[in-house]
Amino acid sequence: MKASAEKIHGEQGDSPARDFHIVTDLQWIWESFTSGEHLLSGQWNFEHDLGLWPIPHLGENDALWIDPASLVANNAWRAHHGQPPILLLAPPDRWLGGLSQRLLDRPVTFRSVAEILDMRKLPEAFSERPWAQPAEGRISGFRAARRSLAQLQHDLLVGSDHGSGSRASTGPAHRQQAPEESIIRLEGHITDITEEWMVAVAGGVALAASPYCIHQGSPDGASSESEEIVTIFDLSATRQVASSIEAEGIAGKSGMPHFDEGHRSMALGIVGDALTQSHVQDDFAGMIDVAFRTERPPVILEIAPLWCSGPYGFSSMEQASILKAVASGRVGAAEESGCHAGPDERAMRNEQDGTMKVFTAGPWMRQHYAQRYIR
């Protein structure tokens, strides 16, 4: 059964247009990606798949934007029906951990669930409550959050965010949620963030930068545990309200949150430094998040594949280039051997350089999402 909500046809050129599937139930993602459609000279026919069923009619040469959970679900369904997997290139799993402290300004380490469950205390470099999240992608029920060691061990065992207790207190009646071989990324906390920008990387270079949220600090001005964050979506609505207020002569826009446009070149610069430092190849692509702070230099926050990154606020021309890079990230079975090393070699490359690899879901993601379409 086809779960296609909308379709946009590009103008036909000398060669037939290829299909570009966008798998999402969020309308704004669909609308954002198709904003660059008119610049693609008829290269693509855009198809919006809601993800309620496996991707219908995915051709060998079709392009794809999809979240990792849906990719895992689709590949499990395809394997169940004797079909080859969908192969997409991704940045190295541990690329972030290989950057210098000048670019990170916090400790970053990767530990298996088994190692974490056996810990009696956190590594010395970390605070009492580091950030913790799966290195293999997002897992519903285990969000990226700051946790004490006891909370982290509890959540890995029973799958409840911000629980209390420890491994010893869970008892044999509790089911271990996270496979012991799954990898968790631990990071130190960054304070005084003012803005976050994302930088699209394609062809091994920083292609474009776009802001996406403003940190306004703690509502009461006293706590560092909660902050008011204004996203580009909230900001657009807030500006409309402010414009109405100003038109009525009640107040102006001087107090409105706004992005510092000077940060655009700085975001491109720090990402360029990170790419140089990690010796990325010409095919390297991804979306890199950058955080700006009050009195200290910006830092690299995170990296994600382009094929699952939200297209926040890029121009039509930038969007067209991002679409082409997303499309080039899909590889066929014949190409896989050139970019998919064995486990030992891949682990070494993931820690040492910027070589792209075929995305391989970790055991926790497979356990969590593989049965979505299989009944």
Side-chain angles (χ1 to χ4, degrees):
M1 185 179 295
K2 187 169 183 178
S4 179
E6 298 177 68
K7 196 168 188 175
I8 294 178
H9 297 281
E11 296 178 2
Q12 297 299 311
D14 295 334
S15 59
R18 293 161 56 191
D19 285 343
F20 198 123
H21 295 256
I22 298 172
V23 182
T24 180
D25 59 358
L26 300 175
Q27 184 68 16
W28 70 264
I29 289 182
W30 163 251
E31 292 173 349
S32 296
F33 265 118
T34 55
S35 66
E37 180 270 340
H38 66 285
L39 295 175
L40 295 179
S41 302
Q43 293 185 41
W44 306 112
N45 293 324
F46 290 93
E47 294 202 19
H48 183 186
D49 297 312
L50 298 176
L52 301 177
W53 295 274
I55 304 169
H57 314 304
L58 184 66
E60 184 177 344
N61 295 317
D62 291 354
L64 178 66
W65 187 95
I66 188 170
D67 65 274
S70 295
L71 179 62
V72 170
N74 272 276
N75 277 339
W77 182 87
R78 291 168 71 93
H80 186 71
H81 290 273
Q83 298 182 21
I86 302 166
L87 304 176
L88 300 175
L89 290 178
D93 295 333
R94 306 190 184 194
W95 180 83
L96 193 72
L99 299 180
S100 69
Q101 279 300 298
R102 179 179 71 84
L103 301 177
L104 295 175
D105 198 24
R106 67 193 185 279
V108 176
T109 191
F110 297 81
R111 298 295 178 93
S112 70
V113 169
E115 289 176 311
I116 293 172
L117 294 178
D118 282 336
M119 285 181 182
R120 294 184 177 274
K121 62 179 181 179
L122 290 165
E124 188 174 342
F126 290 89
S127 66
E128 293 183 357
R129 296 177 63 243
W131 286 87
Q133 67 183 73
E136 58 196 25
R138 300 291 188 262
I139 302 292
S140 60
F142 187 90
R143 61 191 177 91
R146 296 184 67 189
R147 294 173 172 88
S148 67
L149 178 58
Q151 289 172 329
L152 177 56
Q153 291 172 331
H154 176 275
D155 291 354
L156 289 172
L157 285 170
V158 301
S160 175
D161 277 337
H162 285 81
S164 60
S166 64
R167 186 180 190 182
S169 65
T170 59
H174 289 278
R175 176 181 65 86
Q176 179 167 319
Q177 183 201 27
E180 289 196 345
E181 64 272 30
S182 289
I183 303 299
I184 303 298
R185 189 173 81 220
L186 300 176
E187 300 180 56
H189 181 56
I190 301 173
T191 60
D192 301 326
I193 295 178
T194 57
E195 296 180 17
E196 293 182 39
W197 288 59
M198 56 172 50
V199 176
V201 174
V205 299
L207 177 70
S210 177
Y212 63 94
C213 73
I214 295 174
H215 293 239
Q216 293 188 284
S218 171
D220 58 13
S223 172
S224 61
E225 293 301 305
S226 62
E227 289 188 342
E228 289 185 351
I229 297 177
V230 181
T231 68
I232 59 169
F233 309 108
D234 300 327
L235 191 59
S236 176
T238 305
R239 280 176 174 157
Q240 291 179 8
V241 172
S243 296
S244 300
I245 292 175
E246 185 178 38
E248 296 173 7
I250 300 174
K253 296 184 184 179
S254 58
M256 285 293 300
H258 63 278
F259 292 106
D260 184 343
E261 184 58 30
H263 287 165
R264 186 177 303 276
S265 61
M266 294 176 66
L268 292 168
I270 188 174
V271 168
D273 289 346
L275 298 175
T276 298
Q277 185 181 108
S278 54
H279 306 290
V280 301
Q281 308 299 308
D282 290 343
D283 65 344
F284 193 88
M287 193 72 79
I288 299 177
D289 295 343
V290 177
F292 289 89
R293 300 177 291 178
T294 307
E295 298 180 349
R296 291 175 292 169
V299 293
I300 302 289
L301 281 182
E302 196 165 7
I303 185 170
L306 277 184
W307 46 261
C308 63
S309 298
Y312 302 95
F314 291 100
S315 70
S316 294
M317 187 170 295
E318 292 167 343
Q319 197 68 278
S321 297
I322 292 171
L323 283 170
K324 292 178 181 178
V326 171
S328 68
R330 186 175 176 204
V331 298
E335 303 171 87
E336 181 183 7
S337 60
C339 53
H340 193 39
D344 293 340
E345 181 184 349
R346 185 168 66 246
M348 183 178 296
R349 289 195 333 194
N350 284 352
E351 293 189 16
Q352 292 181 347
D353 62 28
T355 304
M356 296 287 280
K357 68 182 185 68
V358 170
F359 173 78
T360 304
W364 199 357
M365 285 201 74
R366 295 195 302 270
Q367 171 184 293
H368 203 74
Y369 298 112
Q371 298 302 311
R372 180 186 294 178
Y373 302 130
I374 301 174
R375 298 289 184 266

